[in-house]
Amino acid sequence: MTRAALIRWTSWLLIAVPLRANAQVPLTTESPIRCATGAVVTGVATGGETGPLVGAAVGWSVAPRVTFEGAASWIDRGPGATAFTAAFTALIGERLPHRAAPFVKAGLGLYSATFDTARADIPDFYARRLAAMGPARRRFTDPAVFAGAGVNVLTTRRLSLRPEATAVIAWRGARTSVTSQVNLHVIFHFERHPVTPDRRTP
């Protein structure tokens, strides 16, 4: 599969899968409220070049409307360039078991970009720092702010889909570099306590 085809396939998933789930899955009162979560992530990122993104995340719902999450992702930034992100964020929004629960998120983390200087088109944010570095393949790791919004779509008692858009703002001194991400999280809920209502006694 070519890089362009992977981007088109990922974009289709981001739009079609949540809409299909939202249309077919009835609202249920047996949904997880407080629990740990694990997720696989796919998407696309833009920031000079548009490329595919893959990653993973773990979270903990500490309250009906609040979830803390740690996530890491790898990004293809084009020929000779890749990036890695790691973030800890707080998500605040409508509580499950709403069928579609919107949320906002914000947090801090790291953005690490690697360039093969013989092949990559290096953004100005990094090019100004090349003189102090030696090897042909150069890595830059900077602190970053993560902010975004999306919707959590409940599909089953333990599975949800979460399309979201996130801005990643890396900084070094007074200069910044912004990368936009559009992701789909496929989330499994590990319930802390049973939430299924008791069966009625005959």
Side-chain angles (χ1 to χ4, degrees):
M1 181 180 293
T2 66
R3 184 168 175 267
L6 181 59
I7 293 173
R8 288 195 298 269
W9 176 251
T10 300
S11 300
W12 181 87
L13 284 175
L14 291 172
I15 298 171
V17 174
L19 290 178
R20 182 177 177 85
N22 193 38
Q24 293 186 354
V25 177
L27 184 65
T28 173
T29 59
E30 298 185 3
S31 309
I33 302 299
R34 294 181 178 86
C35 64
T37 61
V40 293
V41 185
T42 184
V44 293
T46 63
E49 291 278 348
T50 299
L53 174 155
V54 294
V58 293
W60 177 251
S61 299
V62 297
R65 297 178 186 271
V66 180
T67 298
F68 292 112
E69 185 175 79
S73 62
W74 175 87
I75 305 167
D76 181 355
R77 290 185 55 127
T82 60
F84 173 83
T85 67
F88 181 76
T89 56
L91 289 75
I92 301 174
E94 290 291 336
R95 60 178 289 175
L96 293 174
H98 285 282
R99 187 185 300 169
F103 68 89
V104 294
K105 74 172 190 176
L108 296 172
L110 297 174
Y111 187 91
S112 180
T114 303
F115 300 96
D116 181 344
T117 56
R119 300 174 56 208
D121 183 11
I122 301 177
D124 188 56
F125 178 72
Y126 301 104
R128 290 171 176 263
R129 294 147 61 185
L130 285 175
M133 306 182 70
R137 189 166 184 84
R138 297 165 182 177
R139 177 175 298 169
F140 304 86
T141 300
D142 300 298
V145 173
F146 293 73
V151 61
N152 209 348
V153 181
L154 193 66
T155 58
T156 71
R157 178 178 171 181
R158 291 186 178 268
L159 187 69
S160 64
L161 303 176
R162 195 179 85 206
E164 66 178 42
T166 303
V168 182
I169 307 170
W171 78 87
R172 176 66 58 175
R175 301 180 62 82
T176 61
S177 175
V178 180
T179 302
S180 300
Q181 300 178 0
V182 181
N183 303 331
L184 176 66
H185 292 234
V186 181
I187 304 171
F188 185 82
H189 299 259
F190 302 91
E191 296 178 27
R192 182 182 181 188
H193 301 294
V195 294
T196 305
D198 294 335
R199 295 180 181 273
R200 293 183 179 179
T201 56

